[in-house]
Amino acid sequence: MAEKMMAAVFTEPGGPETLEYREIDRPEPQRGEVLIRVRACGINGFDLLARNGRYHTGQAKPHVLGGDVVGTVVGYGPECEERVAEGANVALHWVRSCGSCEQCLRGFETTCLRYGYLGAKYPGGYAEYVAVPERNVAALGDYSDLHKAAAFPMAFGTSWHMLVTRAALQPGESVLVQAVGSGIGVAAIQIANLIGARVIGSAGAQWKLDRAVELGVDPDRLINYTSENLHEAVMRITGKRGVDVVFEHLGGEIFGDAVRSVARNGRLVTCGGTASYDVSMNIAHVFHKQVSIIGSNSATRWEFEQIINLLREGRFDPIVDRVFPLHEAAKAHAYLDERSGFGKVVLSVEQ
Ligand SMILES: [Zn+2]
């Protein structure tokens, strides 16, 4: 008989109340997998979409959400290298790629034809234990704030892949970061600061812009897009030049203005559409100015290693909005359904 563990799961999609804290089978680490005692798990927008049925994950029910997982190595399946010692605290890379499809062979593991995410296709971190491939584990060393660490991987990994790898943001370039209060917006500001780029930030609420000032953004380079047209504001701030890079994840109606805000030969990099996937734009703003529109998905294992190293060295400071215990996962989802905070909401999974 399988050993048991507690987890916050849902069986039918619905509101926050569908998340139920109960006993399920504890995972057994398979060949090449490690068993992790979960210590904290960040909540992402994806979790809310999966829970209310807007995104079908393919995982068997009851579904265990949670891709941003931090925990302690407590066991190994067969044929592990035991590269990370038992008892070590680790963060988990949320992407599982196959390693053998055309995309993987070309080095594009984030567009693997068979990829699956932790907490989506595979059981995630809303549980006391999770089993993952050994290659997905990165040691946190003596980085001790596990709540901050759980607010880190997906937001900073996704933003890193967008700005560093896909858009190749350079020191001295200007970058418009959309929705500075979001998890990836906060990450994008910190990464742009590290690179030495010049940030212009946007948000739909003044209090979020005020918090962006605390992250080092010049108050004169912040735009409230509910009270001022985004494109006009960018042109005012940049002396009619536009920005070298737009960091976009809103989609929807503002996307056309975001495209117009790009300077000649600049680029717009996008990883999503939280407002809407449907956008409209004037294509002349793309070809006349030779603008590149670049898609970006997730982050590679190597990028994950790089950002964890920078976290350990204190180069990044993830922002935690609020912490809920795992058994209050439904309450945490209700909190996120009702309002958007600044930074991330984290579930604490203490013994
Ligand atoms: Zn693949």
Side-chain angles (χ1 to χ4, degrees), residues 97-105 109 111-115:
S97 53
C98 76
S100 59
C101 74
E102 177 204 330
Q103 295 298 320
C104 284
L105 292 176
E109 67 185 90
T111 49
C112 169
L113 300 177
R114 290 184 279 270
Y115 76 67

Side-chain angles (χ1 to χ4, degrees), residues 24 65 68 87 92 102 139 151 287 294 335:
I24 61 170
L65 292 165
D68 261 339
L92 306 186
E102 177 204 330
F287 63 75
I294 303 168
Y335 173 78

Side-chain angles (χ1 to χ4, degrees), residues 10-245:
F10 71 92
T11 309
E12 293 297 328
E17 71 286 350
T18 58
L19 282 173
E20 201 188 344
Y21 186 66
R22 66 175 174 92
E23 202 174 67
I24 61 170
D25 286 350
R26 188 175 120 174
E28 275 292 319
Q30 305 298 305
R31 187 165 58 92
E33 289 187 343
V34 289
L35 184 66
I36 305 296
R37 175 65 171 85
V38 179
R39 304 286 299 278
C41 181
I43 299 179
N44 284 287
F46 168 81
D47 300 5
L48 308 182
L49 294 178
R51 189 213 68 221
N52 68 26
R54 283 176 60 198
Y55 188 98
H56 296 283
T57 62
Q59 187 186 132
K61 298 289 190 303
H63 187 107
V64 188
L65 292 165
D68 261 339
V69 186
V70 167
T72 307
V73 176
V74 292
Y76 307 95
E79 294 175 43
C80 278
E81 292 174 27
E82 301 188 23
R83 193 172 42 78
V84 178
E86 193 165 331
N89 285 337
V90 294
L92 306 186
H93 185 216
W94 64 98
V95 185
R96 288 202 202 184
S97 53
C98 76
S100 59
C101 74
E102 177 204 330
Q103 295 298 320
C104 284
L105 292 176
R106 292 170 66 196
F108 301 129
E109 67 185 90
T110 68
T111 49
C112 169
L113 300 177
R114 290 184 279 270
Y115 76 67
Y117 290 169
L118 192 63
K121 189 171 173 185
Y122 302 100
Y126 286 27
E128 290 179 307
Y129 294 88
V130 64
V132 295
E134 190 175 26
R135 71 183 293 273
N136 286 53
V137 167
L140 283 167
D142 52 12
Y143 189 86
S144 58
D145 191 328
L146 299 186
H147 294 155
K148 282 195 175 194
F152 181 73
M154 291 180 86
F156 281 74
T158 302
S159 294
W160 183 274
H161 189 61
M162 290 170 77
L163 290 179
V164 176
T165 305
R166 299 291 293 154
L169 181 65
Q170 301 298 308
E173 284 193 319
S174 52
V175 54
L176 167 65
V177 176
Q178 295 273 61
V180 288
S182 62
I184 62 169
V186 168
I189 291 173
Q190 293 193 24
I191 292 166
N193 286 344
L194 189 71
I195 291 170
R198 300 160 63 233
V199 175
I200 294 175
S202 77
Q206 188 56 43
W207 69 271
K208 290 180 182 177
L209 298 174
D210 294 340
R211 294 290 303 272
V213 174
E214 294 167 27
L215 291 173
V217 184
D218 183 338
D220 293 334
R221 296 169 67 85
L222 287 167
I223 300 163
N224 184 336
Y225 52 66
T226 54
S227 60
E228 186 176 9
N229 176 273
L230 180 77
H231 166 247
E232 286 169 13
V234 168
M235 291 302 150
R236 173 175 56 74
I237 292 168
T238 60
K240 297 184 183 168
R241 177 185 180 274
V243 290
D244 296 297
V245 172

